[in-house]
Amino acid sequence: MFQLQNVVSWGRSFQDYLEMFNLSANELELSILDCAGGPASFNAVMKQQGKTVISCDPIYQFTPQQIQQRIDETYPMIIQGLHQNFDQFVWDKVGTPEALGEARLAAMKTFLADFPQGKEQGRYRDMGFPELPFANDTFDLAVSSHLLFTYSQQFSWQFHLQSIRELCRVAKEVRIFPLVQNFTSFKSRHLDSILETLTAQGYYTNIEKTVYEFQRGGNELLKVRPPMKI
Ligand SMILES: C[S@@+](CC[C@H](N)C(=O)[O-])C[C@H]1O[C@@H](n2cnc3c(N)ncnc32)[C@H](O)[C@@H]1O
């Protein structure tokens, strides 16, 4: 069975996506790739609104029942982790770990209801970093949350660089959130040198604040654009 390197299956809502990626109403009309989309409801809600997103994640090889089982196994661990590390999170909007859990479960239920049809339609693809088998410039925008930089301990510097360059190959703009590592308030150990290397290679990088902040200090979004093609 595919090893997900201890990456949890946990999905956020459409509203979370708008806030994590500073997405404007106009930008929702773009062609969008969500890489490491997991059981988030962004793709499902966009479809309800008549828009199309392509989501990639190795978990899409599994059946809805298997994904549901993974969510059920993950749920108590996450709630316990939130209680144990309560002060590392911002509770103004969500209130309690249980309320957050309910909100995430609702989003994942929306994903699960959409997944069988969405997979048939090619909106959910079983693929992942560091190689994305799409042609150059297939998408206007690629977003990715809670994998790159978040799992800095599990994924190497090379993996990060290769994955970001690959996103920039298939999309005209890339947005990655958050920039803190392993569910702490500390900036990813890879961030500074990845930015330096991308800049030296001609990529345009920019860090923007987000209104979304659940992990303390996790309120920054990295935008990357590929070098100009002459
Ligand atoms: C914490 S979830 C984040 C889901 C969603 N982006 C969100 O923020 O709600 C991380 C996801 O990364 C996926 N993942 C693990 N390895 C991956 C890879 N090499 N390429 C793409 N996704 C991967 C996992 O399967 C998991 O669904």
Side-chain angles (χ1 to χ4, degrees):
M1 202 185 236
F2 185 87
Q3 289 299 308
L4 293 168
Q5 303 209 33
N6 303 322
V7 177
V8 297
S9 288
W10 196 234
R12 286 158 192 82
S13 70
F14 176 74
Q15 184 60 31
D16 291 333
Y17 264 62
L18 298 186
E19 294 180 11
M20 293 188 299
F21 295 115
N22 285 349
L23 288 169
S24 67
N26 284 346
E27 286 169 341
L28 297 181
E29 304 298 330
L30 299 174
S31 67
I32 301 180
L33 171 70
D34 179 15
C35 195
S41 65
F42 181 61
N43 192 323
V45 176
M46 285 286 275
K47 179 67 183 168
Q48 289 164 9
Q49 298 184 5
K51 301 170 179 107
T52 302
V53 173
I54 305 291
S55 301
C56 313
D57 197 303
I59 63 158
Y60 301 151
Q61 72 189 275
F62 299 122
T63 64
Q65 292 74 17
Q66 287 171 319
I67 297 176
Q68 175 77 65
Q69 191 189 336
R70 249 183 99 82
I71 293 169
D72 293 344
E73 287 163 4
T74 304
Y75 186 80
M77 292 183 326
I78 297 218
I79 301 295
Q80 193 189 13
L82 290 172
H83 276 290
Q84 282 167 351
N85 301 288
F86 195 84
D87 292 342
Q88 289 182 29
F89 298 95
V90 178
W91 294 103
D92 308 2
K93 286 189 189 161
V94 279
T96 61
E98 286 71 21
L100 178 90
E102 288 304 314
R104 297 281 194 268
L105 282 182
M108 293 188 276
K109 201 172 158 195
T110 303
F111 157 79
L112 282 167
D114 180 53
F115 179 58
Q117 195 192 25
K119 195 169 172 180
E120 251 178 52
Q121 294 171 339
R123 288 186 290 112
Y124 295 106
R125 311 266 182 103
D126 163 21
M127 55 177 76
F129 296 127
E131 280 169 22
L132 304 171
F134 297 105
N136 293 355
D137 294 329
T138 301
F139 303 96
D140 296 315
L141 178 63
V143 298
S144 188
S145 61
H146 299 97
L147 183 74
L148 296 175
F149 299 121
T150 296
Y151 286 89
S152 287
Q153 277 172 7
Q154 288 87 335
F155 293 108
S156 67
W157 183 91
Q158 281 80 6
F159 178 90
H160 278 73
L161 184 66
Q162 198 184 342
S163 300
I164 295 170
R165 287 174 49 120
E166 184 70 340
L167 286 173
C168 285
R169 184 185 67 74
V170 302
K172 297 183 185 82
E173 183 182 324
V174 172
R175 298 185 190 182
I176 300 168
F177 179 90
L179 308 180
V180 285
Q181 69 173 27
N182 293 88
F183 300 98
T184 65
S185 303
F186 300 109
K187 182 170 73 173
S188 158
R189 62 179 71 176
H190 300 312
L191 184 66
D192 289 343
S193 68
I194 289 281
L195 292 182
E196 223 172 89
T197 303
L198 287 172
T199 305
Q201 293 178 351
Y203 291 79
Y204 301 91
T205 65
N206 181 30
I207 293 179
E208 268 184 19
K209 289 282 179 210
T210 60
V211 290
Y212 187 99
E213 183 178 9
F214 180 52
Q215 289 168 256
R216 285 195 188 283
N219 62 346
E220 288 185 329
L221 161 70
L222 173 63
K223 290 187 171 180
V224 188
R225 282 180 182 271
M228 295 267 268
K229 286 162 199 138
I230 304 165

